[in-house]
Amino acid sequence: MSSGNSFHAVKTEEELSLYIPQEGLVQLRNPHINGMDEDVLYHIALSNKSNNLTEMFQDVKFVCFGGSPTRMHKFAEYLVEELKIKIPAGLTVTNIAHGSDRYVLYKVGPVISVSHGMGIPSLSIIFHEILKLIHHAGCSDVIFFRLGTSGGLGLEPGSVVITEESVDGLLRPYMELSTLGMILQHPSKLDQDVARDLVSLANSEEDGYVTIIGKTMCTLDFYEGQARLDGAFCDYNEADKMAYLSRVHKRGIRNIEMESLCFAAYCYRAGIRGAVVCVTLLDRLKGDQITTPHDIMEEWQSRPQKLVAAYIKRKLNI
Amino acid sequence: MSSGNSFHAVKTEEELSLYIPQEGLVQLRNPHINGMDEDVLYHIALSNKSNNLTEMFQDVKFVCFGGSPTRMHKFAEYLVEELKIKIPAGLTVTNIAHGSDRYVLYKVGPVISVSHGMGIPSLSIIFHEILKLIHHAGCSDVIFFRLGTSGGLGLEPGSVVITEESVDGLLRPYMELSTLGMILQHPSKLDQDVARDLVSLANSEEDGYVTIIGKTMCTLDFYEGQARLDGAFCDYNEADKMAYLSRVHKRGIRNIEMESLCFAAYCYRAGIRGAVVCVTLLDRLKGDQITTPHDIMEEWQSRPQKLVAAYIKRKLNI
């Protein structure tokens, strides 16, 4: 199934002209923003009037999104080491979005590490505000990553999946968004070059785990939406579940999570190169519950971070 | 528009028999749970094997959900005072879900105060796990509340809306959930008695702000999904936006937020009485940006908390 051919949507001519990767300055697909006196980025407690966003963020070249605030803090600290960032004595990395408790946002050299919470709506809000942030800051040639966790399909737990294409629970390669009384479909295409560059940096033998490119299913729910039997509601049985997951697996789906469809759709709309890198915490063809000990899980969750850090180092010639 | 008549969905006979409010013990609509050796409530880091959930939670009668972790912590501290809970010297209320950074969960007497993050998927996860928690704990006759913030329509900012019915961005009174390759529709009916009891506890003259019952629109996105002009993407103009919001307002929608559809649908499915109480932070018929000073916003956000606390006190004869 090719994402290009299977996608049918009613688009305006203007919309069709938008989907071209940007070179240079980050542009917004919204003519209203530049006419505004002030733009309050409400959920990260920043504004283009109260903060000098250019001074703070103009050098940003990479934005790394991840669900958990703790993990994105750890990633910021890891990047300080990996990118050999010199922090003056007495200082430390701090949450720039501390004026709100919705997300955390760190900056380490040319990298933003930001949490997105769980699910498409939560990612959608922070994506809008980060895109406006780097636009106001005058950033150029920025690459976005989502570093996440997921359920695997037919993979050893701890394996890493780089998303080739994101689809919804019915295998549709677009995100539907109800907008002013219409349901608009936004194609969820991802940059294949970044995915290939990422997988070339992995070495399954040295790493001790596999890193592959595969399709990712993105759902609006963790339990029924992912065919789990262990939610508070369930009106299907083990055979129904396995039939569905096996069919999905045969179509090339290698993992299931809850944000990639929006991440991919918004990167594509914005003309931003983007990649989704998720570790699998369990094999959903074998179970539903996540019972792996905490320390092993911690090591697994660092795997997407290591890969993306390696990519950033390569790009920065470090 | 009556929610009963406008809802059309393909349901099994078993499903149709499920939607009956529960009396007594909290039951799960999932036959698989009770056969499991252990049920790990992954996103709140609790389990029915590692934790004595009955001892910890059996006396719970009210669960209060809200988006922000800080706000739900403050609500827990407020309840300690309001419910006159005696905490032994040297102790304080603490986040029971501290083993995960996804949600916070406090318990104050018979009340759980828990955060749900932003958007339906994030609420969905914690709703499943809270429902399983109170089932494992052997709780009975529990009432759920969502205490939130929202954009108002035609209301003075700071007004409080108790949701009569929740609808999506196309005014459909149900939540669609992609499940094993089918899109199932779950009606989002709320308990009208609890809503009426809540509004009877408000006194607009004394309070200095109005508290009303009205319809709530629930969206998957904060920017385009709510017809804002100030997102990173926007392909409509001020006139399009106002035409949509005015039409929606004329149909009885009084506020817009991002969780009520799922909250209502899951309460209804679970047979749990539930209510949604949101303060409005701005009038969307007049603008998009939230620029109210922090201290005024703080006071506004305490309004749903005060109303729900008053309800709980009335029920407990305090």
Side-chain angles (χ1 to χ4, degrees), chain A residues 156-178:
Chain A
E156 192 68 30
S159 303
V160 174
V161 179
I162 300 162
T163 303
E164 176 197 343
E165 181 185 39
S166 180
V167 298
D168 74 2
L170 302 180
L171 299 198
R172 300 178 297 186
Y174 50 82
M175 170 178 148
E176 288 191 335
L177 188 58
S178 174

Side-chain angles (χ1 to χ4, degrees), chain A residues 193-215:
Chain A
D193 293 338
V194 181
R196 270 191 297 267
D197 287 352
L198 279 165
V199 82
S200 76
L201 292 167
N203 184 328
S204 298
E205 244 172 76
E206 264 184 37
D207 295 340
Y209 56 87
V210 302
T211 298
I212 61 158
I213 291 181
K215 291 188 203 295

Side-chain angles (χ1 to χ4, degrees), chain B residues 155-168:
Chain B
L155 292 170
E156 192 68 30
S159 303
V160 174
V161 179
I162 301 161
T163 303
E164 175 196 343
E165 180 184 39
S166 179
V167 297
D168 73 3

Side-chain angles (χ1 to χ4, degrees), chain A residues 29-221:
Chain A
R29 313 307 196 189
N30 180 355
H32 304 100
I33 294 290
N34 291 336
M36 288 166 60
D37 274 350
E38 178 176 14
D39 186 14
V40 177
L41 308 173
Y42 177 66
H43 301 86
I44 46 177
L46 293 170
S47 130
N48 66 345
K49 204 169 170 184
S50 311
N51 305 96
N52 187 335
L53 298 180
T54 308
E55 197 177 281
M56 293 169 78
F57 295 106
Q58 193 174 21
D59 63 336
V60 167
K61 294 292 175 195
F62 307 95
V63 180
C64 300
F65 297 81
S68 147
T70 313
R71 213 192 303 141
M72 296 324 283
H73 183 210
K74 279 190 189 159
F75 185 54
E77 290 181 331
Y78 176 64
L79 285 175
V80 171
E81 284 174 45
E82 287 296 305
L83 305 185
K84 301 185 175 49
I85 304 286
K86 282 195 185 140
I87 294 181
L91 299 184
T92 186
V93 293
T94 187
N95 173 18
I96 300 176
H98 62 84
S100 164
D101 67 344
R102 302 298 195 163
Y103 303 99
V104 299
L105 191 158
Y106 300 92
K107 180 177 181 294
V108 178
V111 188
I112 284 175
S113 175
V114 61
S115 67
H116 60 55
M118 283 183 288
I120 284 178
S122 187
L123 172 72
S124 170
I125 293 172
I126 190 68
F127 197 108
H128 272 273
E129 296 187 8
I130 287 289
L131 204 53
K132 294 200 290 175
L133 176 80
I134 62 173
H135 167 73
H136 291 312
C139 299
S140 57
D141 302 315
V142 181
I143 304 179
F144 281 13
F145 298 95
R146 160 163 149 71
L147 295 75
T149 57
S150 61
L153 285 174
L155 293 171
E156 192 68 30
S159 303
V160 174
V161 179
I162 300 162
T163 303
E164 176 197 343
E165 181 185 39
S166 180
V167 298
D168 74 2
L170 302 180
L171 299 198
R172 300 178 297 186
Y174 50 82
M175 170 178 148
E176 288 191 335
L177 188 58
S178 174
T179 309
L180 272 63
M182 296 182 290
I183 297 182
L184 302 185
Q185 301 176 333
H186 300 289
S188 50
K189 292 189 183 182
L190 282 163
D191 193 291
Q192 301 302 308
D193 293 338
V194 181
R196 270 191 297 267
D197 287 352
L198 279 165
V199 82
S200 76
L201 292 167
N203 184 328
S204 298
E205 244 172 76
E206 264 184 37
D207 295 340
Y209 56 87
V210 302
T211 298
I212 61 158
I213 291 181
K215 291 188 203 295
T216 299
M217 174 182 284
C218 178
T219 69
L220 288 177
D221 172 60

